[in-house]
Amino acid sequence: MPLDPSFIGRSYPPTASYQVGREKIREFATAIGADDALHHDPEAARTAGYADVVAPPTFAVVITMAANRQIVEDPDLGVDYSRVVHGDQRFQYTRPIVAGDELISTNTIEEIRSRGGHDFLTMRTDVASASGEPVVTAWSKIVVRGEG
């Protein structure tokens, strides 16, 4: 069953806060091969003007992928996750994510298109600090493969 385009523009309630941990940043940086000292050494990060270690730019996917479950698991939208493939991902930063941040995400469905029997769902996630300071906006596109 195709996704309902009337969901375009729907926003979901803010998520619970995500506490960014130093070790989580280090583990993520190691996993992707980001060996810059800013991602691993708090003193190097402080010398560069940051409060603590700095997350690599793609770290935001850790936060936004979990937040996107609000949309993907919305029973009224009806995404069949067994048929989902990742289509695209991009980030627009206001400032870097650093260890110690407390971040809250708000999801919006930006686009639903059907092409060739497949549905293309674009989700925008606005990530802000607990005080409301914008940090990063992420766009994720998933493809819900048709049954044919």
Side-chain angles (χ1 to χ4, degrees):
M1 184 165 149
L3 299 179
D4 183 351
S6 73
F7 278 73
I8 297 169
R10 181 175 289 192
S11 289
Y12 291 76
T15 63
S17 65
Y18 179 93
Q19 299 287 328
V20 179
R22 182 184 292 161
E23 288 310 313
K24 184 66 107 175
I25 289 174
R26 286 174 171 161
E27 289 167 358
F28 186 89
T30 298
I32 66 167
D35 56 4
D36 189 302
L38 293 177
H39 307 310
H40 299 275
D41 180 2
E43 193 53 44
R46 286 186 196 101
T47 299
Y50 299 100
D52 208 319
V53 294
V54 179
T58 54
F59 180 84
V61 78
V62 171
I63 301 159
T64 61
M65 189 169 178
N68 287 162
R69 290 175 52 197
Q70 285 182 312
I71 295 172
V72 172
E73 295 176 357
D74 182 339
D76 294 328
L77 181 58
V79 172
D80 179 354
Y81 201 74
S82 71
R83 306 192 71 73
V84 167
V85 294
H86 189 262
D88 188 33
Q89 186 76 51
R90 79 185 152 98
F91 304 98
Q92 182 177 20
Y93 275 87
T94 303
R95 69 157 176 85
I97 295 172
V98 298
D101 278 342
E102 181 179 346
L103 302 176
I104 297 169
S105 300
T106 305
N107 292 302
T108 302
I109 296 176
E110 276 210 343
E111 182 179 56
I112 296 174
R113 292 187 182 239
S114 294
R115 288 180 284 199
H118 309 294
D119 289 325
F120 296 77
L121 170 64
T122 303
M123 301 169 281
R124 185 185 80 234
T125 306
D126 296 302
V127 180
S129 68
S131 65
E133 172 196 12
V135 176
V136 60
T137 298
W139 289 267
S140 179
K141 182 175 289 191
I142 61 172
V143 181
V144 183
R145 295 174 292 114
E147 294 188 25

